[in-house]
């Protein structure tokens, strides 16, 4: 029997889209199951073979779990705010907003043709202000917090300031920089505003520190380890060097036990 893929696939892709067959709603009567793909970078002429290679596997799993009665959340989106989008814009000479939008349309068309069971009402675009306003919000929450070992959670930095004004930092039980000095309440109050802020930076969950990083002069940015191969950038093949630079860091180790318990 001949498989008329043009007719059959276009019919069902259209049906799924019109009827929102894969729309997911909260349903407390069903057990939840979350299938999350790595979002593609919309920077190029379209999907490459590595995308559907992974997406087909997770799509099969999502469909299998739906048939088992799970309430499956299987979203898709675009990692569209970073180095790949920036480099593609430089290569084409077009504004990244234009190239990103064009590439997303092309990627979406290809993903639809592959017939995946995504709930497109939950699409994520990391370049959208509706998305990155929350990453900025999270950063501010971290910056304005410190981790208290007594309460085993993050607390507002204002509460730490109150404790420093009362007793100095002798009784403070919190992860901080190794070079944090001990001081009394009187010594704290005698510090200038700039000196006090420098001390608070030693307790905040986000803080500035001198860190060894992968610096790529050709790209003008710091690269993650997985973006470097044999001492050169995967994108552009520029030389990469280890460089000590001032970076924003996060006091992730403060949460080490909490993270282990959460598993």
């Amino acid at each position: 029997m001949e498989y008329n893929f043009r007719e059959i696939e276009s019919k069902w892709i259209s049906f799924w889209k019109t009827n929102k067959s894969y729309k997911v709603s909260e349903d407390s009567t069903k057990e939840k199951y979350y299938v999350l793909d790595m979002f593609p970078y919309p920077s190029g002429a379209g999907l490459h073979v590595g995308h559907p290679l992974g997406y087909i596997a997770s799509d099969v799993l999502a469909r299998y779990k739906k048939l088992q009665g799970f309430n499956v959340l299987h979203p898709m989106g675009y990692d569209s705010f970073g180095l790949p989008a920036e480099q593609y814009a430089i290569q084409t000479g077009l504004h990244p907003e234009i190239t990103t939008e064009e590439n997303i349309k092309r990627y979406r068309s290809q993903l639809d043709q592959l017939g995946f069971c995504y709930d497109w009402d939950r699409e994520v675009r990391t370049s959208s202000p509706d998305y990155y306003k929350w990453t900025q919000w999270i950063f501010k929450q971290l910056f304005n917090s410190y981790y208290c070992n007594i309460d085993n959670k993050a607390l507002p930095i204002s509460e730490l300031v109150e404790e420093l004004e009362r007793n100095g930092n002798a009784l403070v039980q919190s992860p901080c920089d190794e070079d944090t000095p001990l001081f009394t309440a009187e010594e704290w109050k005698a510090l200038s505003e700039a000196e006090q802020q420098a001390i608070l930076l030693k307790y905040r969950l986000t803080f500035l520190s001198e860190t060894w990083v992968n610096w790529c002069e050709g790209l003008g940015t710091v690269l993650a380890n997985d973006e470097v191969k044999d001492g050169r950038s995967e994108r552009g093949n520029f030389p990469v060097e280890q460089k000590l630079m001032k970076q924003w860091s996060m006091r992730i180790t403060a949460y080490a036990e909490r993270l282990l318990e959460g598993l």
Side-chain angles (χ1 to χ4, degrees):
M1 179 179 170
E2 184 185 356
Y3 173 48
N4 189 336
F5 63 89
R6 294 186 192 279
E7 183 180 320
I8 293 171
E9 292 181 12
S10 62
K11 169 190 171 181
W12 286 107
I13 289 169
S14 176
F15 178 89
W16 294 333
K17 187 175 183 179
T18 302
N19 293 276
K20 294 201 171 187
S21 300
Y22 300 123
K23 183 174 176 60
V24 181
S25 302
E26 286 73 17
D27 186 348
S28 59
T29 65
K30 292 183 177 181
E31 190 173 350
K32 294 181 286 187
Y33 201 87
Y34 188 25
V35 181
L36 181 62
D37 289 308
M38 181 182 286
F39 295 164
Y41 306 125
S43 54
L47 297 173
H48 58 72
V49 70
H51 288 117
L53 182 67
Y55 297 162
I56 289 170
S58 54
D59 195 71
V60 169
L61 178 62
R63 291 176 182 275
Y64 174 64
K65 287 298 182 180
K66 282 176 187 284
L67 291 171
Q68 285 189 316
F70 286 82
N71 193 29
V72 179
L73 176 61
H74 188 205
M76 179 43 75
Y78 306 97
D79 193 355
S80 51
F81 196 19
L83 185 62
E86 179 183 288
Q87 286 302 302
Y88 186 75
I90 291 170
Q91 290 164 13
T92 59
L94 298 170
H95 194 285
E97 184 177 11
I98 297 170
T99 56
T100 298
E101 185 63 34
E102 288 178 349
N103 291 338
I104 283 176
K105 287 178 182 176
R106 189 178 303 113
Y107 278 41
R108 172 64 192 274
S109 173
Q110 292 176 315
L111 289 166
D112 282 343
Q113 287 175 41
L114 287 161
F116 295 131
C117 61
Y118 298 129
D119 178 1
W120 284 106
D121 287 346
R122 295 176 182 264
E123 177 192 289
V124 171
R125 297 186 185 189
T126 59
S127 56
S128 165
D130 289 338
Y131 174 87
Y132 65 71
K133 73 176 182 182
W134 293 112
T135 62
Q136 293 173 337
W137 178 85
I138 290 168
F139 179 88
K140 287 165 69 178
Q141 305 311 304
L142 293 166
F143 181 74
N144 289 316
S145 302
Y146 78 105
Y147 197 87
C148 177
N149 288 338
I150 298 170
D151 292 317
N152 199 28
K153 64 179 182 180
L155 296 174
I157 199 75
S158 57
E159 293 188 18
L160 176 61
V161 172
E162 291 172 3
E163 172 62 20
L164 299 181
E165 289 176 347
R166 285 193 301 266
N167 303 305
N169 65 346
L171 303 177
V172 173
Q173 295 185 36
S174 172
C176 60
D177 292 355
E178 293 180 358
D179 62 348
T180 305
L182 278 175
F183 51 83
T184 64
E186 289 69 29
E187 288 171 328
W188 167 258
K189 293 172 185 174
L191 296 174
S192 67
E193 173 69 17
E195 291 170 329
Q196 288 182 347
Q197 289 302 320
I199 291 290
L200 292 178
L201 205 58
K202 295 178 179 295
Y203 287 95
R204 294 183 188 272
L205 288 178
T206 52
F207 58 98
L208 284 168
S209 65
E210 294 285 339
T211 307
W212 287 101
V213 295
N214 299 315
W215 171 252
C216 180
E217 186 69 34
L219 294 173
T221 189
V222 170
L223 300 179
N225 289 337
D226 61 341
E227 295 175 309
V228 181
K229 186 175 182 180
D230 299 327
R232 303 185 76 86
S233 64
E234 276 208 316
R235 187 167 289 266
N237 196 35
F238 296 106
V240 177
E241 63 174 311
Q242 285 285 301
K243 193 172 183 179
L244 194 63
M245 297 180 70
K246 186 169 283 189
Q247 299 283 303
W248 281 105
S249 301
M250 293 191 182
R251 222 175 289 280
I252 300 171
T253 49
Y255 281 91
E257 285 303 316
R258 282 272 302 275
L259 290 169
L260 286 170
E261 290 168 10
L263 291 173

